[in-house]
Amino acid sequence: MSSSNDFAGFYKLTQTERLQKLAEYAGLQTDDLAALNAGLSADQAEVMIENVIGRYTLPLGLATNFLLNGQNFVVPMVVEEPSIVAGVSYAAKLARAGGGFQTSSSEPLMIGQVQILDLTDLEEAAAKLMAAKPQLLAEANQHHPTIQKLGGGAKNIECRPLPKTPAGPMLIAHILYDCRDAMGANAVNTAAEAIAPLIEQITGGRVNLRILSNLTDRRTARAECLIPVEQLSRDGLPGDQIARSIFEAWAFAVADPYRAATHNKGVMNGIDAVAIATGNDWRALEAGAHAYAARNGRYTSLTEWSLVTTADHRPIRHSLWSQGEPPTAEFTHLYGVLDMPLSVGTVGGATRAHPTARVSLKILGQPNARLLAEIMVAVGLAQNLAAIRALASEGIQRGHMRLHARQMALAAGAKGAQVQDIADKLVAMGNIRVEKARELVAGSK
Ligand code: NAD
């Protein structure tokens, strides 16, 4: 692969020129390029879900400028919403100016839950399960030799007593399962089902559910970035003023769940788009992200932003803003962190079965599951920065409405060059509605 710095000005190219550049960069062959447009065949769709009546297509875009731990990436994203790919590429460029993203991830440990009822003493049952841990792990590991051979498999058992539920007391056994490069839902569910009879035998209780948890707080990825404030200046607004506005925007999300929901939706705009491009289960990621955002009892921001000095990156907001006063000390950088559950795979599920997902993984350089999670968390942090930077400076509508106008023109039946022409007219009139677009299309016939 060549350096992804070559992607400067990618958005100005035609689609054919973009494909040529990408093919050179990622070593894509003719069949890979065909898969980018053709997607899933009717036969493949037929075996993927039930009652298939067709296939549904979405745009696949390429986010540029990503630098992670010194390595360049371009990132495939599937999404229908305008501004996301452009915004994330711009934010990645800002982060690049401060050395790019530093990323890390935990071991790919998922949690399988086994619900045990009809117990007279939860503590006693938990102690019995703890004493039988080696036996339980051995039983769980019998069923997935491939993952075990790769160093994964069942690693630990933990117990969660729930003394008060609408159905009375119950004990939940957690099986911690290292999924290696798989998302692992099927492997974890198999393991949870496999140990259920043994759990009943050991505790004398009755097992009901045996299923993975999507709150994958043992399988997390983290990205950090440090942006020199002067990089943030735009349209005559100084960088330090925009940095403060970004910090204030983040503080709003920390304090208010109404804002946090939208703030985190921005994070997931990026993460879901990469999940879809790579054939991963974005509902699982959504569930994990929002549950994690509420882990301390109140729903809050998934990201953290601080105004820092370069000397030691120590956030100065705690000392200066705790009294409600704006910072007076000099800060030089905006520092961002996103640390969240990310259970994604590069084998299994649709990752290899979907032809476009297979090519997306090739564009990413065939990452393992942990690297894919790290790329995704960096995209999530960049997306959050793009959104709050736009909101805190020129307002999100300006750029967004330009792209939205093109969609209105398309919806009104505009074709070819007429799409941009009508979009420009809608923006100039400040009336970006499909009815107006229809009038313009009709008028140009
Ligand atoms: P999978 O069942 O296809 O399993 C992956 C397989 O890949 C394993 O059987 C393993 O033997 C093999 N493998 C080869 N190389 C490997 C490597 N390096 N690391 C790990 N495994 C390797 O897929 P899965 O990941 O178990 O399940 C994912 C699917 O399950 C997704 O499609 C998801 O939508 C679905 N699902 C999700 C939920 C949920 O999130 N609640 C519930 C049920 C199913």
Side-chain angles (χ1 to χ4, degrees):
M1 283 199 186
S2 58
S3 155
S4 81
N5 290 319
D6 303 338
F7 283 78
F10 192 63
Y11 66 98
K12 294 183 195 149
L13 305 180
T14 64
Q15 210 176 102
T16 312
E17 288 168 337
R18 287 191 205 121
L19 283 172
Q20 267 168 5
K21 189 171 268 295
L22 178 64
E24 251 171 59
Y25 162 82
L28 301 187
Q29 305 298 316
T30 316
D31 58 334
D32 296 327
L33 292 171
L36 287 179
N37 255 316
L40 211 54
S41 71
D43 289 347
Q44 285 164 327
E46 178 63 26
V47 292
M48 211 169 244
I49 63 163
E50 313 76 35
N51 296 358
V52 171
I53 54 162
R55 288 158 291 150
Y56 183 110
T57 56
L58 284 170
L60 168 61
L62 194 68
T64 57
N65 300 324
F66 276 85
L67 181 65
L68 265 76
N69 304 331
Q71 200 185 338
N72 285 310
F73 290 94
V74 287
V75 186
M77 298 175 79
V78 169
V79 67
E80 86 296 348
E81 191 178 333
S83 307
I84 289 180
V85 176
V88 83
S89 302
Y90 178 68
K93 196 170 169 188
L94 293 177
R96 179 178 275 270
F101 296 93
Q102 301 303 314
T103 64
S104 55
S105 53
S106 69
E107 293 292 327
L109 270 189
M110 298 284 278
I111 298 169
Q113 298 195 292
V114 182
Q115 179 193 23
I116 317 157
L117 301 116
D118 301 346
L119 294 168
T120 45
D121 186 334
L122 299 187
E123 297 302 324
E124 189 192 352
K128 284 182 181 165
L129 288 179
M130 288 299 106
K133 210 185 263 187
Q135 207 185 338
L136 288 164
L137 294 178
E139 181 63 29
N141 276 328
Q142 265 188 20
H143 303 269
H144 242 302
T146 316
I147 290 186
Q148 224 201 342
K149 256 186 235 144
L150 293 165
K155 298 291 176 189
N156 205 355
I157 305 282
E158 292 175 354
C159 285
R160 262 171 81 76
L162 299 179
K164 277 193 186 152
T165 80
M170 57 185 77
L171 181 67
I172 312 301
H174 277 188
I175 173 162
L176 301 189
Y177 197 96
D178 182 329
C179 298
R180 298 284 90 197
D181 293 317
M183 182 271 189
N186 293 320
V188 172
N189 291 344
T190 306
E193 283 178 15
I195 60 170
L198 191 52
I199 285 182
E200 285 187 334
Q201 200 185 314
I202 294 166
T203 61
R206 171 176 61 86
V207 165
N208 189 30
L209 298 195
R210 298 144 293 166
I211 178 83
L212 88 156
S213 169
N214 287 116
L215 176 50
T216 64
D217 58 1
R218 306 296 176 91
R219 187 177 194 177
T220 57
R222 177 185 173 92
E224 298 171 53
C225 65
L226 190 65
I227 297 162
V229 290
E230 64 275 10
Q231 291 291 324
L232 293 164
S233 70
R234 193 149 155 175
D235 298 339
L237 285 175
D240 62 340
Q241 193 178 320
I242 294 182
R244 279 181 199 206
S245 300
I246 290 172
F247 175 75
E248 289 163 346
W250 166 75
F252 180 11
V254 168
D256 179 15
Y258 286 95
R259 172 62 207 146
T262 322
H263 179 94
N264 292 340
K265 189 269 183 184
V267 171
M268 300 312 288
N269 271 342
I271 289 178
D272 286 349
V274 186
I276 299 171
T278 55
N280 272 288
D281 183 340
W282 71 96
R283 290 87 54 206
L285 301 183
E286 285 279 343
H290 297 292
Y292 193 69
R295 67 194 179 284
N296 295 324
R298 192 172 59 81
Y299 187 84
T300 188
S301 166
L302 281 167
T303 56
E304 207 181 318
W305 292 98
S306 337
L307 304 172
V308 300
T309 56
T310 36
D312 55 5
H313 303 182
R314 192 182 55 235
I316 57 175
R317 66 190 158 85
H318 296 304
S319 55
L320 291 161
W321 283 57
S322 52
Q323 299 92 30
E325 293 295 321
T328 48
E330 288 300 310
F331 53 87
T332 55
H333 288 71
L334 177 70
Y335 172 66
V337 186
L338 174 57
D339 197 340
M340 62 180 284
L342 265 175
S343 51
V344 289
T346 51
V347 299
T351 58
R352 303 280 168 104
H354 193 295
T356 319
R358 186 181 54 73
V359 181
S360 291
L361 288 169
K362 196 165 175 180
I363 293 168
L364 289 169
Q366 305 291 12
N368 62 18
R370 283 180 66 175
L371 178 56
L372 178 61
E374 291 182 31
I375 294 167
M376 286 167 80
V377 78
V379 170
L381 184 59
Q383 197 72 62
N384 181 234
L385 173 62
I388 54 176
R389 194 210 60 81
L391 281 171
S393 47
E394 75 262 19
I396 208 157
Q397 283 310 79
R398 196 179 73 182
H400 192 78
M401 290 320 272
R402 257 170 208 291
L403 294 160
H404 181 59
R406 295 216 312 235
Q407 285 193 339
M408 292 300 100
L410 274 173
K415 301 251 163 20
Q418 198 191 19
V419 175
Q420 191 60 52
D421 186 41
I422 289 188
D424 290 345
K425 287 188 177 133
L426 293 173
V427 172
M429 287 186 289
N431 184 359
I432 306 172
R433 290 182 309 124
V434 73
E435 295 80 10
K436 191 75 209 165
R438 277 201 205 103
E439 271 176 37
L440 292 171
V441 172
S444 67
K445 273 181 187 154

